Amino acid sequence: MVTDTKTRRGTRKGSTSSSSSSSSSAPADPLSSMLDGTDPLSMFAAASTSETSALSHGGSGGDLGRKKRVKEEEPIGADFEPWSTKRGEILARFTTTEKLSINLFMGSDRGKAPNPGTSAVSEKVRTRLEELDDLEEGSQRELLNLSQQDYANRIEELNQSLKEAWSSDQKVKALKIVIQCSKLLSDTSVIQFYPSKFVLITDILDTFGRLVYDRIWTMCSDPRTLPDSFTAEDVNDTAKETCLNWFFKIASIRELLPRLYVEAAILKCSRFLSKSGIQETLPRLTAMIRGIGDPLVAAYARAYLCRVGMEVAPQLKESLNANFFDLLATFRQVSGDSVQRQLHLQRVEAPEYLTLYSPAINWILQCIAYRAPEQLLTEMMERCKMMVNNALLLNSIMRAFRPEFVATRATDFIGMIKDCDESGFPKHLLYGSLGRSLACADPPESERLTILNEAWKVITKVRNPQDYMNCAEIWVEFTCRHFTKREVNTVLADIIKHMTPDRAFEDAYPQLQSVIRKILTYFHDFSVLFSMERFLPFLDMFQKDSVRVEVCKSIMEVFIKHQLEVTRDPVILNAMLHICKTMHDSVNALTLEDEKRSLALLIIGFIRMVSFGRDFEQQLSFCVEARATFCNLEPVLVQLIHTVNQLAMETRRVVKGNHSRKTAAFVRACAAYCFITIPSLSSIFSRLHLYLLSGQVALANQCLSQADAFLKAAVSILPEVPRSISVEGKLRSSETFLLDFINNFLATLLVVPDHPEHGVLYLVRGLLNMVQDYTWEDNSDAKVRVYISALPLLAAMSQETYLYSIPKVDSNETLYGGDPKFLSEINKLCETLIGQILDHLKTLTRDEQSVRRQSALAFSLFGVLLAHGDLRNNKLSQLSVNLWNLSHKHGHCETRVSVRTLESIKHQAQQPDMAHLADAIQRLALQSRT
């Protein structure tokens, strides 16, 4: 609900102040003497002017030397955790479901006509006061019944309005927005939300501070840029006057809280006025906070002042200490009637209320403890012991100081935690803070077991599952860091005991995942990890599919990274198979390809680490089980086929000389495994390559019938190859891949003996028939290129001794022994292929592109005839010359290649048995396009 009302411009004493400042005594109105020119703004101006003059006309360094020298600013290092990292955590932690409201009193924008009868000074004062009236009176805007998200959105809109007003040169409107937003920090009507409200509104203050500072900096940078280490002497008068004007406006704000926050927001601008401005202002602002009645509001005001102080003058520790000691002094107010009534009205328990102070106290102590000596922690601990209800302070001390300092005093802290009142602040939170420090630094070795026992006595008694898990998660790292699997197993058992009833684990998956990550960080020996009785039952608490898979993936990633040696440990294998099966079973029709690929790579990594040494049968049994377990992930099946083929080759290497009957049976079993598995693959090229690979392995192990079956299977599925395939998400022609496979297949056929029941060259003929019947792309020369590639194979088959062979395998050279009938079959097949090629060349005359293809194919066939043909045959010699001329007829053949070819032929012709090439050379001429 939005309401707009107009309030009359009345006398100043009739306006109300914030609830924060109402508790302080009401002083006389400092602006009542405005007409005589003695208002505090003029006094502030006079003081600033005199100070600036003193700095400008001091002359020698003696006058400056008499002033108290301030230590140069020490830059904050990367080891200081900035406020920005805490912002999100606070917003997420301090939430509410109650309705919120925003009350804004925006002034009018009407102009003021100057009164010619007043003096310049009085007019200047009057103008400022009228602007001030506008800042605090006028249009009232009230937003009610806002949800937390609505509230955050409205504050962000105000932040944007501030920027827009500033960019459109409406500086007064920008200041109005900041003042009104600062007033919201006095409202604690929904107290649980106050820390988040503080974060949202101080964002606006930070924006305003940056805008003002950047504006004045820009004024100083004309015509030359102001150096980062500038002093007040480097600032021009215009910039100083503008800076003073901002401080004057802020000093005129009547209410304490907005005046304090807005001045703190632009505190950095004091550098433009004097060197000691910041040093003098911080104590004054610190003292102002003592006038805030609400201890929670005061605590966050101190936190903001400390934050600004650390940004502009981190070396001024006195202000930080003063704010902290003032904060300690206000703790007695927590048990006072005013606070207790407020908690009763809002139905907030004392422990919950105390946690609202945590971000403020933590930040103040972080600033104090930054690069502080260890002795300071001792002093803080002594102060804490003297306080009543000191649990909140103790918690912040443990979180603020360096973990090394806390760890060396861990036993002392445990003693202090024992003495704390449980009703004021839960002890498990204190142990959680202590555990965070001990996770980063090590306590004395002799005290570690005692520390763990004392902490876990308290943690295990926590009834709320979420509170228990938040604390247990922290101490798991301490346990893993310093103890063995026995203690970690005990901790896991306790977590299962607490989180299983009522399926409490369903609300604690992030913490449970964190436990797993911490265990995996310290336990890389998986035989030790899986020997923990409670580890796998702990994994069973991850019932949600997506979470369970993520946990399994994290385990697999650590296994692959740290398992450096192959294993056959049954404990590891059974556990890892269970984990991998969990990942595999999560795959369904909706699973993305990238996710499938990721899961497959992890499972493949596991399979590669499994080895049973020379127990080949056990290794094969594992592969059989893995095939049944991971049947939905094709890359895993491909890996298993490769593994089994390697197993067959390893068997051959180990057995070496004697190919026993048992070994042959095992190799046949491996071949059967592959033959059964390959058809289940969807990728046609995976099947082709694996058929060829498995056939080569079977051939190497003298399993001729199995090799024959693999090669026949490969030939039989060639027609299934599509004309285009998907490669990395893009459709590409399959022609190149098919030609590569066929060339590899042809190279293997040289050593494959013919089957006695299927005739001469039956595999070669079968392949060529499939190529003949395959539907190639339009305007494709692929079929002819296969024919050209087959000619060298047939030429090699006609030799008395083959170029290569497989030990203990009789190829066709042995089976036929140069039989004339066999050679005749080869010649007939060659003539058929050459005829097919020449017929195709005759068709390539239609256009320029066809002629280019004709030239390339003719030159390829010429090269094959030159390398593998007997050019003493006149017909063959004349054919080669014709092919040469055809390839050069239209000038499409590359001249450099032609020249090098001729040189090679001339070199061969000089050999005694190659003299017939000399005649051919005479007929080979270079031609170019005319």
Side-chain angles (χ1 to χ4, degrees):
M1 180 176 70
V2 180
T3 60
D4 288 305
T5 61
K6 286 287 183 178
T7 60
R8 291 182 302 171
R9 294 171 52 84
T11 58
R12 300 184 56 78
K13 63 181 180 180
S15 60
T16 57
S17 62
S18 70
S19 60
S20 305
S21 59
S22 62
S23 62
S24 60
S25 61
D29 185 0
L31 302 180
S32 60
S33 58
M34 62 180 179
L35 294 180
D36 61 6
T38 59
D39 66 288
L41 302 185
S42 299
M43 296 171 63
F44 184 39
S48 300
T49 304
S50 62
E51 183 177 350
T52 303
S53 299
L55 290 173
S56 302
H57 302 93
S60 65
D63 292 335
L64 294 176
R66 286 192 294 271
K67 293 182 179 288
K68 183 178 178 180
R69 296 187 179 276
V70 181
K71 183 179 177 183
E72 292 297 326
E73 288 190 16
E74 298 175 357
I76 297 177
D79 55 337
F80 185 82
E81 186 179 3
W83 175 258
S84 58
T85 62
K86 302 177 181 295
R87 183 182 181 280
E89 177 187 349
I90 295 173
L91 290 174
R93 179 181 175 190
F94 297 97
T95 60
T96 183
T97 57
E98 296 188 29
K99 296 301 180 181
L100 304 165
S101 63
I102 298 177
N103 294 314
L104 298 177
F105 297 82
M106 303 302 291
S108 63
D109 293 328
R110 61 186 178 278
K112 283 102 183 157
N115 186 349
T118 58
S119 65
V121 174
S122 297
E123 178 58 33
K124 192 174 184 180
V125 172
R126 188 183 303 277
T127 301
R128 288 174 186 155
L129 292 177
E130 289 177 348
E131 287 180 352
L132 180 61
D133 283 336
D134 262 353
L135 296 182
E136 303 190 60
E137 299 175 1
S139 173
Q140 176 180 351
R141 184 175 176 83
E142 187 174 21
L143 303 176
L144 303 176
N145 296 324
L146 299 176
S147 68
Q148 178 180 323
Q149 186 59 50
D150 291 337
Y151 189 96
N153 293 339
R154 296 298 183 272
I155 296 297
E156 178 57 29
E157 289 173 7
L158 288 170
N159 201 353
Q160 293 301 319
S161 297
L162 168 64
K163 296 176 183 177
E164 292 169 4
W166 189 272
S167 62
S168 60
D169 204 27
Q170 300 181 56
K171 304 298 190 295
V172 174
K173 180 179 179 181
L175 183 56
K176 292 178 187 178
I177 294 173
V178 176
I179 292 173
Q180 296 302 324
C181 289
S182 301
K183 288 182 179 181
L184 296 176
L185 289 173
S186 65
D187 177 20
T188 57
S189 57
V190 183
I191 202 166
Q192 306 98 315
F193 184 64
Y194 191 84
S196 293
K197 178 195 290 188
F198 171 79
V199 168
L200 295 172
I201 293 176
T202 52
D203 284 348
I204 295 180
L205 290 164
D206 294 340
T207 300
F208 179 71
R210 283 193 300 271
L211 291 173
V212 174
Y213 185 86
D214 292 344
R215 166 65 175 160
I216 301 174
W217 174 279
T218 304
M219 297 174 67
C220 297
S221 299
D222 186 16
R224 58 183 180 83
T225 303
L226 199 65
D228 291 337
S229 57
F230 72 91
T231 61
E233 290 86 345
D234 300 320
V235 180
N236 59 51
D237 292 340
T238 303
K240 285 183 179 178
E241 184 177 354
T242 302
C243 187
L244 283 170
N245 190 44
W246 278 113
F247 281 106
F248 293 159
K249 281 185 171 65
I250 294 169
S252 301
I253 301 173
R254 289 174 301 169
E255 295 185 25
L256 171 61
L257 197 65
R259 183 167 72 250
L260 169 70
Y261 269 108
V262 179
E263 184 173 355
I266 68 165
L267 181 61
K268 189 177 181 181
C269 296
S270 297
R271 288 186 63 193
F272 296 112
L273 300 177
S274 69
K275 182 177 182 180
S276 59
I278 294 175
Q279 183 181 8
E280 295 169 355
T281 304
L282 280 173
R284 176 171 60 81
L285 295 178
T286 300
M288 287 172 61
I289 298 176
R290 296 169 188 162
I292 300 176
D294 191 308
L296 183 64
V297 176
Y300 277 92
R302 292 187 175 95
Y304 186 69
L305 185 58
C306 290
R307 176 152 74 88
V308 173
M310 284 297 288
E311 292 174 1
V312 301
Q315 76 280 4
L316 299 179
K317 296 290 187 181
E318 296 82 1
S319 173
L320 299 174
N321 295 336
N323 275 286
F324 178 67
F325 296 142
D326 284 353
L327 180 62
L328 295 186
T330 63
F331 259 94
R332 65 175 66 94
Q333 293 179 261
V334 173
S335 56
D337 293 340
S338 175
V339 172
Q340 293 302 315
R341 277 197 304 271
Q342 186 181 26
L343 299 184
H344 177 72
L345 288 174
Q346 298 195 37
R347 299 178 181 178
V348 176
E349 298 294 332
E352 182 183 0
Y353 174 70
L354 288 175
T355 59
L356 300 178
Y357 286 85
S358 295
I361 299 177
N362 290 344
W363 178 259
I364 295 173
L365 274 173
Q366 178 184 325
C367 297
I368 293 174
Y370 180 61
R371 294 182 178 175
E374 192 170 358
Q375 180 61 29
L376 180 60
L377 176 57
T378 303
E379 295 176 10
M380 290 288 184
M381 293 174 68
E382 293 302 321
R383 281 182 175 271
C384 191
K385 290 177 182 178
M386 294 186 293
M387 289 183 58
V388 180
N389 296 329
N390 62 355
L392 178 62
L393 177 60
L394 179 61
N395 184 66
S396 296
I397 289 174
M398 289 188 291
R399 300 189 66 163
F401 281 86
R402 291 174 56 184
E404 296 83 359
F405 296 170
V406 176
T408 56
R409 297 167 174 77
T411 302
D412 295 334
F413 276 111
I414 286 179
M416 295 176 68
I417 292 173
K418 286 182 178 179
D419 295 336
C420 288
D421 183 6
E422 178 74 26
S423 61
F425 195 86
K427 288 187 178 180
H428 71 268
L429 295 180
L430 297 174
Y431 276 108
S433 297
L434 178 61
R436 287 188 184 91
S437 294
L438 299 184
C440 302
D442 301 334
E445 186 173 356
S446 59
E447 301 175 7
R448 292 173 185 171
L449 184 58
T450 303
I451 291 171
L452 178 62
N453 287 333
E454 291 294 336
W456 210 263
K457 285 179 186 177
V458 175
I459 296 171
T460 194
K461 293 178 182 178
V462 178
R463 295 182 178 273
N464 183 283
Q466 195 65 41
D467 291 340
Y468 168 83
M469 200 61 236
N470 288 336
C471 197
E473 170 206 350
I474 297 169
W475 280 88
V476 163
E477 183 162 4
F478 177 77
T479 309
C480 296
R481 188 182 179 101
H482 299 295
F483 298 97
T484 64
K485 70 172 186 177
R486 176 174 172 270
E487 289 78 10
V488 175
N489 191 63
T490 302
V491 169
L492 292 180
D494 194 61
I495 293 175
I496 294 172
K497 177 182 175 182
H498 278 78
M499 303 306 293
T500 301
D502 300 325
R503 299 178 67 86
F505 53 77
E506 292 182 343
D507 298 321
Y509 283 141
Q511 293 88 343
L512 294 172
Q513 285 180 275
S514 177
V515 170
I516 290 292
R517 285 194 297 269
K518 290 172 181 177
I519 293 174
L520 294 175
T521 300
Y522 294 96
F523 286 85
H524 296 155
D525 187 341
F526 280 79
S527 61
V528 173
L529 183 65
F530 290 131
S531 64
M532 295 183 196
E533 294 179 1
R534 311 310 298 169
F535 184 77
L536 290 180
F538 185 87
L539 293 182
D540 290 339
M541 287 196 295
F542 295 98
Q543 298 289 314
K544 188 177 180 180
D545 290 343
S546 59
V547 178
R548 183 169 65 248
V549 171
E550 286 301 317
V551 171
C552 292
K553 287 171 67 175
S554 65
I555 296 173
M556 290 302 305
E557 287 167 357
V558 174
F559 177 82
I560 293 171
K561 181 178 180 180
H562 294 284
Q563 186 71 27
L564 303 179
E565 298 180 355
V566 294
T567 182
R568 59 184 299 172
D569 187 329
V571 174
I572 294 178
L573 296 187
N574 289 334
M576 295 305 290
L577 277 172
H578 171 73
I579 291 171
C580 290
K581 185 178 187 302
T582 299
M583 295 192 300
H584 169 270
D585 292 349
S586 69
V587 175
N588 55 44
L590 300 178
T591 306
L592 298 176
E593 288 300 321
D594 286 346
E595 178 67 9
K596 289 182 182 180
R597 192 178 302 111
S598 174
L599 296 175
L601 287 175
L602 292 173
I603 297 173
I604 288 171
F606 161 62
I607 291 172
R608 288 175 175 171
M609 297 307 299
V610 176
S611 174
F612 291 87
R614 295 194 175 186
D615 190 347
F616 301 129
E617 293 183 358
Q618 186 66 31
Q619 185 84 33
L620 182 60
S621 297
F622 169 79
C623 291
V624 171
E625 182 181 359
R627 179 180 62 188
T629 305
F630 310 124
C631 58
N632 291 330
L633 290 175
E634 188 163 305
V636 178
L637 296 179
V638 172
Q639 176 61 41
L640 288 170
I641 294 170
H642 280 287
T643 299
V644 170
N645 278 319
Q646 291 172 359
L647 188 62
M649 294 303 295
E650 182 70 9
T651 304
R652 177 175 177 271
R653 185 187 66 80
V654 171
V655 175
K656 289 184 180 178
N658 299 322
H659 194 171
S660 66
R661 182 177 301 174
K662 183 177 180 181
T663 303
F666 177 77
V667 172
R668 287 195 292 271
C670 291
Y673 178 97
C674 297
F675 197 79
I676 293 171
T677 308
I678 292 174
S680 65
L681 304 178
S682 62
S683 170
I684 183 65
F685 281 103
S686 293
R687 280 183 279 157
L688 286 172
H689 288 297
L690 289 173
Y691 273 134
L692 179 57
L693 173 65
S694 301
Q696 292 168 341
V697 170
L699 200 61
N701 284 281
Q702 299 97 49
C703 296
L704 301 183
S705 59
Q706 284 76 16
D708 194 64
F710 281 119
L711 298 177
K712 285 170 62 178
V715 172
S716 67
I717 65 172
L718 280 176
E720 299 177 21
V721 177
R723 295 174 63 172
S724 60
I725 58 173
S726 177
V727 179
E728 297 181 354
K730 297 180 180 179
L731 280 179
R732 292 180 55 185
S733 171
S734 63
E735 203 168 84
T736 303
F737 301 97
L738 184 55
L739 288 176
D740 287 342
F741 169 76
I742 291 175
N743 287 334
N744 290 334
F745 193 88
L746 289 171
T748 303
L749 291 182
L750 178 63
V751 294
V752 178
D754 283 339
H755 195 284
E757 298 179 0
H758 294 105
V760 178
L761 303 177
Y762 82 100
L763 280 175
V764 177
R765 294 179 186 276
L767 175 64
L768 294 176
N769 288 336
M770 286 295 180
V771 171
Q772 176 71 28
D773 297 336
Y774 183 76
T775 305
W776 299 93
E777 294 183 16
D778 297 336
N779 300 320
S780 170
D781 300 322
K783 179 170 66 174
V784 174
R785 292 191 177 279
V786 172
Y787 292 162
I788 294 175
S789 298
L791 292 175
L793 169 65
L794 295 173
M797 284 182 167
S798 65
Q799 305 299 312
E800 295 181 1
T801 303
Y802 285 180
L803 297 172
Y804 47 86
S805 61
I806 297 177
K808 299 184 179 179
V809 174
D810 293 332
S811 303
N812 286 340
E813 61 176 335
T814 304
L815 293 180
Y816 295 111
D819 189 321
K821 292 183 179 179
F822 176 66
L823 297 177
S824 176
E825 290 294 327
I826 292 176
N827 288 332
K828 289 179 181 178
L829 190 52
C830 288
E831 289 177 2
T832 301
L833 293 177
I834 292 174
Q836 293 279 349
I837 298 170
L838 295 177
D839 289 343
H840 182 73
L841 289 176
K842 293 176 183 178
T843 65
L844 300 177
T845 57
R846 293 189 305 274
D847 49 34
E848 181 74 9
Q849 186 62 31
S850 298
V851 171
R852 286 182 179 275
R853 291 162 51 200
Q854 182 190 62
S855 174
L857 290 174
F859 195 80
S860 295
L861 181 56
F862 169 79
V864 169
L865 295 181
L866 181 64
H868 304 284
D870 185 1
L871 296 186
R872 288 172 295 189
N873 183 303
N874 291 332
K875 290 179 61 177
L876 204 56
S877 176
Q878 184 58 47
L879 176 60
S880 64
V881 172
N882 293 342
L883 289 170
W884 172 273
N885 292 333
L886 180 61
S887 64
H888 290 75
K889 180 178 180 180
H890 299 285
H892 292 302
C893 196
E894 189 174 348
T895 304
R896 183 174 57 180
V897 176
S898 300
V899 170
R900 294 181 62 180
T901 302
L902 286 176
E903 291 175 352
S904 175
I905 297 173
K906 290 177 182 178
H907 180 72
Q908 292 183 46
Q910 296 175 2
Q911 299 178 16
D913 56 342
M914 303 293 287
H916 60 279
L917 292 179
D919 179 57
I921 294 172
Q922 301 300 322
R923 294 183 290 167
L924 300 180
L926 291 175
Q927 299 180 21
S928 60
R929 176 181 290 182
T930 57

